Amino acid sequence: MSMAERIQDYDAIILGTGAAGLAAAVGLPSHWRVALVSKGQPDAGSTAWAQGGMSAAVDAGDSIDAHVRDTLEAGAGLGDEMAIRRVAEAAPKMAQWLGELGVAFTRDARNELHLTQEGGHRHRRVLHVADATGRAIQDSLDKAVRAQAERHWLTNHIAVDLITSRRQGLPGDNRVLGVYVLNQQSGQVETLRSPRVLLATGGANKVYLYTSNPEGNTGDGIAMAWRVGCRVANLEFMQFHPTCLFHPDARSFLISEAVRGEGGQLLLPDGDRFMPRFHPQAELAPRDVVARAIDHEMKRLGLEHVLLDISHQPADQVRRQFPTIHERLMKLGIDMTREAIPVVPAAHYTCGGVITDLAGRTDLPGLYAAGETAHTGLHGANRMASNSLLECLVMGRAAAEDMSEIELPPARESLRAWDESRVTDSDEEIVVKHNWLELRRFMWDYVGIVRSEKRLRRAAARAELLRSEIQAYYAGFRITPDLVELRNLSEVANLVIRCAQRRRESRGLHYNLDWPDTLPPERARDTVLVPPNWPGREQLPQWPSFTVHSLPAQSGSESA
């Protein structure tokens, strides 16, 4: 393939094919030529793994105000009320839209929506499809996107870096012009040209040794946006899911929070229920509280895990509500209807990310971000359960709406194709594997659930050394998928550590032994990191306000 043949033109490029990316793809004009880029198969991301559900105030006894209050409280004083209200107000519309796309939310005997309750929620407001909600949403969105003719799926392609006018040496204001992507089948880097790029690449939880996430969550979008001058915020708030299965053959299998919502209790090996000692809501406390409580008990008693027990509930009910979890556990020799499940905390969700407004716009014109990659202010210092799928849908739709309406000049500039004429194939692949393991291990040891100034200093020193080594390796050798991901992980690790060092208090998901107290509300601030190449707010365009338009119904479909 020649250099010219490797440049492909699109009206929009979407990096990531989970809920945020697919929701955006559905919302873009049908005649637009849109590239959907995924590292592996389109369903390999976090969305398809999501078990619990999507929060929405649809019950008669619930309200938008209550949803907002619960989210603000879970966010430990850092949630943006405007962002939270916009997302909460859109939630019932999203539920209706998903129903029209074919998502069959679980219903009760009266054919009414069956709502579960999860940590941080004071009402039952979590819509679900048994315990495989993410899979149902992923499949329905995928089907809707494939019904549109001009949607081009680039599977097994990994984004390497964003293309901007400044990096290309072009005159005028800096803006996004496209993306370099590595075709993992051919081994060649291809140039995708477009004036609109959406980062829907998920979080950065693979920066930790133990995580509930798929392999691809390596912070790619956050790292790429930072490198082109976009600010990031609140990356110290990495959420650890309290209940990941402890088993040698299933290290990343999540035990849904809904198990606790339906009466599951956390126990010590002697049967002692410990959560009431830590929070009035016990097992339904916010995730940061539950994760720290488990971590405390494990360290206090020298345990490898604690136990999650729902065996006191009727067996038929447990099997009916958690068929996927029950089936997986049975294959591993654990019958959750008769015995407790061994669980440990694991890195689960990135609450901070690339700063965007409520239309998904970043600091770089033409570049958008949505879902776990972005920071909108929705989650604050701790994400409330089942607000993540909701955010992906609302912000993916919002980004698509803004992309469709805003006037952007087409990316017609003559772009430089990827140049690998001065690099060679690596003869030391072991370096990548070694650095990958070292980075994830010191992040787990020093920047995990409980931190200290000494631990953070150690992590910062090691992160900087690794970044230098990885950058030298990146500059000298032909890139591989592992190297691309390692480069991004090292960038994000550095950002997480820098954010954690700046916060001189303990709040939400960030707990520092040297700063155990929480600052008063009037001193609550986001942690914002500004890259050296950030243009300054005075040079940024004024983004229009965000609105949720009514969603079109599809003929022949049933509403939720």
Side-chain angles (χ1 to χ4, degrees):
M1 182 183 290
S2 68
M3 291 289 188
E5 289 173 329
R6 279 189 241 161
I7 298 179
Q8 306 165 47
D9 286 299
Y10 297 96
D11 294 294
I13 298 169
I14 298 173
L15 302 179
T17 52
L22 295 182
V26 172
L28 291 173
S30 59
H31 66 279
W32 275 17
R33 181 178 164 86
V34 178
L36 292 107
V37 182
S38 62
K39 289 183 179 180
Q41 292 305 304
D43 63 350
S46 293
T47 294
W49 285 35
Q51 296 171 345
M54 185 191 83
S55 56
V58 296
D59 184 70
D62 198 3
S63 68
I64 300 297
D65 286 341
H67 191 176
V68 171
R69 283 196 302 270
D70 288 351
T71 303
L72 279 169
E73 184 171 329
L78 282 187
D80 183 282
E81 187 168 357
M82 179 180 291
I84 294 169
R85 186 165 295 278
R86 294 281 176 83
V87 173
E89 287 174 346
K93 299 186 181 88
M94 290 298 120
Q96 177 182 346
W97 180 55
L98 289 175
E100 291 163 355
L101 290 180
V103 176
F105 289 115
T106 298
R107 295 179 177 270
D108 59 23
R110 296 172 297 175
N111 200 34
E112 295 179 356
L113 288 170
H114 181 270
L115 304 174
T116 61
Q117 185 175 359
E118 296 182 354
H121 296 269
R122 285 186 167 82
H123 293 272
R124 285 183 171 267
R125 67 165 66 95
V126 180
L127 297 93
H128 64 104
V129 182
D131 60 349
T133 312
R135 166 56 64 184
I137 291 175
Q138 176 81 33
D139 291 348
S140 294
L141 288 173
D142 185 286
K143 183 178 179 181
V145 174
R146 292 184 186 278
Q148 297 173 301
E150 289 298 321
R151 301 298 181 258
H152 302 266
W153 299 79
L154 303 181
T155 57
N156 295 308
H157 285 66
I158 181 170
V160 178
D161 253 329
L162 295 165
I163 305 170
T164 68
S165 50
R166 179 177 296 163
R167 285 182 162 189
Q168 293 283 314
L170 299 171
D173 294 336
N174 194 31
R175 61 188 179 93
V176 74
L177 299 176
V179 190
Y180 290 121
V181 298
L182 173 63
N183 184 327
Q184 297 181 69
Q185 293 180 320
S186 68
Q188 294 181 318
V189 176
E190 301 169 3
T191 305
L192 310 184
R193 183 164 47 194
S194 176
R196 306 169 191 86
V197 177
L198 171 64
L199 301 173
T201 52
N205 303 291
K206 290 296 288 188
V207 77
Y208 289 103
L209 189 61
Y210 301 109
T211 176
S212 65
N213 284 193
E215 292 296 323
N217 282 26
T218 51
D220 304 327
I222 297 170
M224 287 190 293
W226 173 260
R227 288 196 290 265
V228 297
C230 295
R231 294 166 300 159
V232 299
N234 289 1
L235 285 169
E236 70 269 38
F237 299 119
M238 304 293 284
Q239 187 177 75
F240 288 77
H241 196 288
T243 53
C244 194
L245 177 65
F246 181 82
H247 193 282
D249 297 328
R251 295 171 66 104
S252 296
F253 186 66
L254 196 68
I255 307 300
S256 171
E257 191 153 351
V259 173
R260 283 179 282 134
E262 294 303 313
Q265 298 178 346
L266 287 165
L267 309 175
L268 297 177
D270 63 2
D272 178 33
R273 185 184 177 201
F274 59 89
M275 276 310 301
R277 300 200 301 269
F278 290 90
H279 196 277
Q281 289 181 269
E283 282 81 7
L284 292 180
R287 284 178 175 173
D288 61 314
V289 176
V290 181
R292 275 201 306 277
I294 295 173
D295 183 71
H296 172 82
E297 293 298 291
M298 288 172 59
K299 288 176 178 174
R300 180 176 72 89
L301 297 172
L303 304 174
E304 288 189 301
H305 62 82
V306 295
L307 299 170
L308 176 60
D309 187 16
I310 197 172
S311 63
H312 53 279
Q313 299 284 28
D316 288 345
Q317 176 184 321
V318 171
R319 285 191 289 265
R320 182 173 62 253
Q321 289 191 240
F322 307 108
T324 305
I325 297 173
H326 180 265
E327 181 182 358
R328 181 69 182 276
L329 291 177
M330 287 296 288
K331 290 179 178 178
L332 296 170
I334 302 170
D335 184 351
M336 66 188 293
T337 68
R338 300 168 62 88
E339 59 189 312
I341 308 164
V343 294
V344 292
H348 183 62
Y349 195 87
T350 306
C351 287
V354 183
I355 291 178
T356 73
D357 66 3
L358 293 179
R361 298 183 182 185
T362 71
D363 290 332
L364 182 66
L367 181 65
Y368 295 75
E372 196 173 351
T373 306
H375 168 77
T376 63
L378 172 65
H379 304 303
N382 184 21
R383 176 181 71 98
M384 190 167 70
S386 292
N387 271 351
S388 50
L389 282 175
L390 173 61
E391 180 188 32
C392 287
L393 297 166
V394 173
M395 295 310 300
R397 294 279 303 191
E401 181 178 303
D402 196 76
M403 285 185 192
S404 304
E405 294 180 353
I406 193 168
E407 292 294 330
L408 286 173
R412 293 174 178 165
E413 291 83 351
S414 177
L415 303 182
R416 294 193 299 270
W418 186 262
D419 182 10
E420 54 183 27
S421 60
R422 290 174 290 180
V423 298
T424 62
D425 289 324
S426 170
D427 58 357
E428 295 182 338
E429 285 293 328
I430 190 63
V431 173
V432 173
K433 294 180 181 179
H434 179 271
N435 286 352
W436 181 284
L437 181 60
E438 181 182 351
L439 185 149
R440 297 179 67 205
R441 184 172 292 281
F442 77 66
M443 287 296 291
W444 180 263
D445 290 341
Y446 300 142
V447 201
I449 297 173
V450 176
R451 301 158 181 175
S452 70
E453 292 301 294
K454 181 185 289 186
R455 293 173 187 175
L456 291 174
R457 284 195 300 271
R458 288 174 176 170
R462 297 186 183 193
E464 190 54 43
L465 284 172
L466 272 182
R467 283 181 70 225
S468 299
E469 185 174 317
I470 292 165
Q471 187 55 40
Y473 191 96
Y474 177 83
F477 296 108
R478 194 164 283 112
I479 62 173
T480 65
D482 283 348
L483 179 57
V484 171
E485 291 185 331
L486 178 61
R487 179 184 182 226
N488 291 332
L489 275 180
S490 68
E491 193 80 77
V492 172
N494 180 267
L495 297 175
V496 171
I497 295 165
R498 286 174 59 185
C499 283
Q501 288 180 310
R502 289 194 178 194
R503 186 161 294 281
R504 299 300 180 93
E505 63 167 344
S506 290
R507 183 185 296 273
L509 299 167
H510 172 77
Y511 188 83
N512 190 320
L513 292 170
D514 296 310
W515 304 92
D517 298 327
T518 300
L519 293 175
E522 63 272 14
R523 296 180 62 188
R525 298 287 186 275
D526 291 328
T527 305
V528 178
L529 299 184
V530 180
N533 50 347
W534 185 61
R537 179 166 293 282
E538 68 278 3
Q539 300 179 31
L540 298 178
Q542 296 299 308
W543 302 134
S545 60
F546 166 70
T547 57
V548 178
H549 292 182
S550 59
L551 298 166
Q554 293 193 346
S555 59
S557 61
E558 295 183 1
S559 170

